[in-house]
Amino acid sequence: MISNQILQNTIDGLREITRVDLCILDMEGQMLASTEQQPEDLSSEAAAFIASPADSQVVHGYQFFKVFDDNQLEYILLAKGASDDVYMVGKLAAFQLSCLLTAYKERFDKDNFIKNLLLDNLLLVDIYNRAKKLHIMTEVRRVVFIIESNREKVNMALDSVRSHFGSKSRDFVTAVDEKNVIVVKELAPGEGYAEMIKAAQEMKEVVSVLDSEEVHVALGTIVGEIKEVSRSYKEARMALDVGKIFFDDRDIIAYSSLGIGRLIYQLPIPLCKMFIREIFDGRSPDDFDEETLTTINKFFENSLNVSETSRQLYIHRNTLVYRLDKLQKSTGLDLRVFEDAITFKIALMVVRYMKYMETLDY
């Protein structure tokens, strides 16, 4: 449960304070951490000590101590020396390790609870019962963030985000798959979406240091009860997908800002295909040439303003009118008419959605 590096750091700190060499063995007598440069092989002595009823004893100039976790023997601690002072140091070190085991087990229990909460694996009554046992507040405002990182570096990203944001005992940093880091963040009084967007930017910067590839951060809506955390997580997942489809220029995307993309994302593919057939009579916007697509997108960017669009495209106004007339003849839609423009815009978004879903099928 506790990494060897944590064990090593712990006894290194104790060694620096007490000047007593310490060593930690597992239940097979294998060394996990030691402050000695060349520690003796005491695996056979450790095996005999494990089998004995004693909690401590002196063997070959070392004091052996058993470290328990809820009456379960976890480690054997060795303190070099046979004096009473070394015995006291060994007892203190064993107590410190026991406290570490308790703390890590509690964190593991909380992490397991949060994962099951996010994935909707808990009954409503279990949510509140377990939250009470783990001392997790149930009626506070929270929001879920998903940080999409490089698959190979997700563990590094998890540790980095946890060290940066997980210092607050009421925030939770975890992962439910091998690609995304999840942060369940508690909001302070007065905080809202503006502050959460800033927090998302911080998360992106922390992970970007580790990952040279693009890092995306999505967040759900702010919820007021712990039972609603899973909804915020689902919203963040949707925001991540919808952002890739319709807002690929954004690194941070909130569920509350998805607009019509949220509706299109929930449409069944057969309905989307039927809509495209009705609008384009079997054709697809992808069939238009690059010049036509550029004209359409720029026209939408400028809120259907002919003069501004022609200026930004460096073409004469009449040239733009000619292109729009040509498009009207081929599709039956006049982009200068608001209703036709809305229909065409939605059709373009539906096509993007369909193409994205096709990539997921491969």
Side-chain angles (χ1 to χ4, degrees):
M1 186 182 298
I2 304 177
S3 69
N4 290 357
Q5 186 60 53
I6 296 294
L7 294 175
Q8 186 65 55
N9 292 342
T10 301
I11 61 175
D12 281 344
L14 291 169
R15 169 68 176 81
E16 187 174 343
I17 296 170
T18 65
R19 298 184 181 180
V20 173
D21 281 311
L22 301 166
C23 181
I24 301 173
L25 307 178
D26 62 16
M27 293 302 93
E28 284 74 43
Q30 299 296 315
M31 187 186 70
L32 302 177
S34 177
T35 60
E36 290 188 279
Q37 292 294 329
Q38 294 181 329
E40 295 183 35
D41 181 9
L42 298 171
S43 55
S44 59
E45 288 82 355
F49 176 58
I50 291 171
S52 73
D55 287 340
S56 64
Q57 67 181 37
V58 179
V59 181
H60 298 323
Y62 287 86
Q63 301 209 33
F64 285 59
F65 300 89
K66 291 178 179 176
V67 179
F68 294 91
D69 177 26
D70 282 344
N71 299 318
Q72 175 69 38
L73 185 59
E74 291 289 340
Y75 302 121
I76 301 301
L77 173 72
L78 280 62
K80 190 174 184 179
S83 67
D84 290 342
D85 288 341
V86 173
Y87 174 81
M88 181 179 67
V89 170
K91 291 292 285 185
L92 287 172
F95 177 74
Q96 176 69 14
L97 290 174
S98 181
C99 290
L100 272 178
L101 285 167
T102 301
Y104 269 76
K105 187 169 71 172
E106 181 177 342
R107 192 175 92 172
F108 175 79
D109 288 343
K110 285 185 177 180
D111 188 66
N112 189 50
F113 169 69
I114 292 297
K115 286 180 180 178
N116 284 303
L117 178 66
L118 293 169
L119 297 174
D120 262 343
N121 290 338
L122 297 170
L123 297 174
L124 185 61
V125 64
D126 291 335
I127 291 175
Y128 287 93
N129 286 340
R130 292 188 62 183
K132 184 178 180 180
K133 289 179 181 178
L134 294 170
H135 307 291
I136 297 174
M137 296 181 68
T138 57
E139 295 185 1
V140 295
R141 295 162 68 234
R142 293 184 174 94
V143 65
V144 176
F145 297 81
I146 298 179
I147 309 167
E148 186 178 69
S149 179
N150 188 308
R151 185 184 301 268
E152 297 175 355
K153 298 180 180 178
V154 68
N155 288 331
M156 294 173 59
L158 182 61
D159 291 340
S160 182
V161 174
R162 183 171 282 155
S163 63
H164 193 84
F165 294 94
S167 55
K168 278 184 59 182
S169 60
R170 294 180 178 178
D171 289 345
F172 302 99
V173 182
T174 188
V176 296
D177 56 40
E178 56 186 7
K179 195 173 183 181
N180 300 318
V181 175
I182 300 166
V183 180
V184 181
K185 184 169 180 58
E186 181 176 322
L187 279 70
E191 286 188 329
Y193 286 106
E195 289 77 15
M196 294 305 99
I197 293 296
K198 292 179 181 178
Q201 185 63 41
E202 281 186 58
M203 296 176 193
K204 178 182 178 298
E205 291 172 358
V206 168
V207 177
S208 294
V209 173
L210 305 172
D211 193 348
S212 59
E213 297 182 12
E214 290 186 6
V215 175
H216 297 92
V217 182
L219 60 148
T221 55
I222 297 171
V223 297
E225 289 193 36
I226 196 166
K227 67 180 181 180
E228 298 175 325
V229 166
S230 62
R231 174 167 63 82
S232 184
Y233 168 67
K234 292 172 185 174
E235 292 169 346
R237 289 207 67 89
M238 180 186 288
L240 196 63
D241 285 340
V242 174
K244 292 176 184 177
I245 302 170
F246 303 119
F247 309 102
D248 52 5
D249 58 330
R250 298 190 202 173
D251 295 326
I252 297 172
I253 185 75
Y255 178 82
S256 58
S257 65
L258 297 180
I260 197 171
R262 183 192 306 121
L263 298 177
I264 293 174
Y265 182 78
Q266 298 178 78
L267 293 175
I269 294 298
L271 185 61
C272 293
K273 291 180 178 179
M274 183 185 302
F275 174 71
I276 295 300
R277 281 197 301 268
E278 290 176 358
I279 299 301
F280 296 108
D281 193 23
R283 297 182 63 190
S284 168
D286 290 341
D287 296 336
F288 297 124
D289 57 67
E290 188 65 31
E291 181 182 83
T292 302
L293 288 173
T294 301
T295 301
I296 293 168
N297 291 328
K298 188 62 68 174
F299 194 53
F300 284 139
E301 286 177 18
N302 289 290
S303 303
L304 314 185
N305 187 308
V306 174
S307 299
E308 183 61 23
T309 302
S310 59
R311 187 186 70 81
Q312 291 191 19
L313 289 174
Y314 302 102
I315 60 176
H316 194 276
R317 177 189 174 92
N318 291 341
T319 303
L320 177 59
V321 171
Y322 169 76
R323 292 181 184 177
L324 294 175
D325 288 341
K326 182 180 177 183
L327 184 65
Q328 182 182 3
K329 289 178 181 178
S330 64
T331 65
L333 297 173
D334 185 355
L335 299 193
R336 291 158 291 191
V337 178
F338 181 75
E339 185 176 342
D340 287 356
I342 288 293
T343 300
F344 202 99
K345 178 66 174 178
I346 292 174
L348 289 176
M349 296 179 71
V350 168
V351 169
R352 292 190 68 174
Y353 164 63
M354 290 168 59
K355 291 178 69 175
Y356 175 80
M357 295 306 292
E358 286 176 4
T359 63
L360 299 182
D361 293 336
Y362 292 107

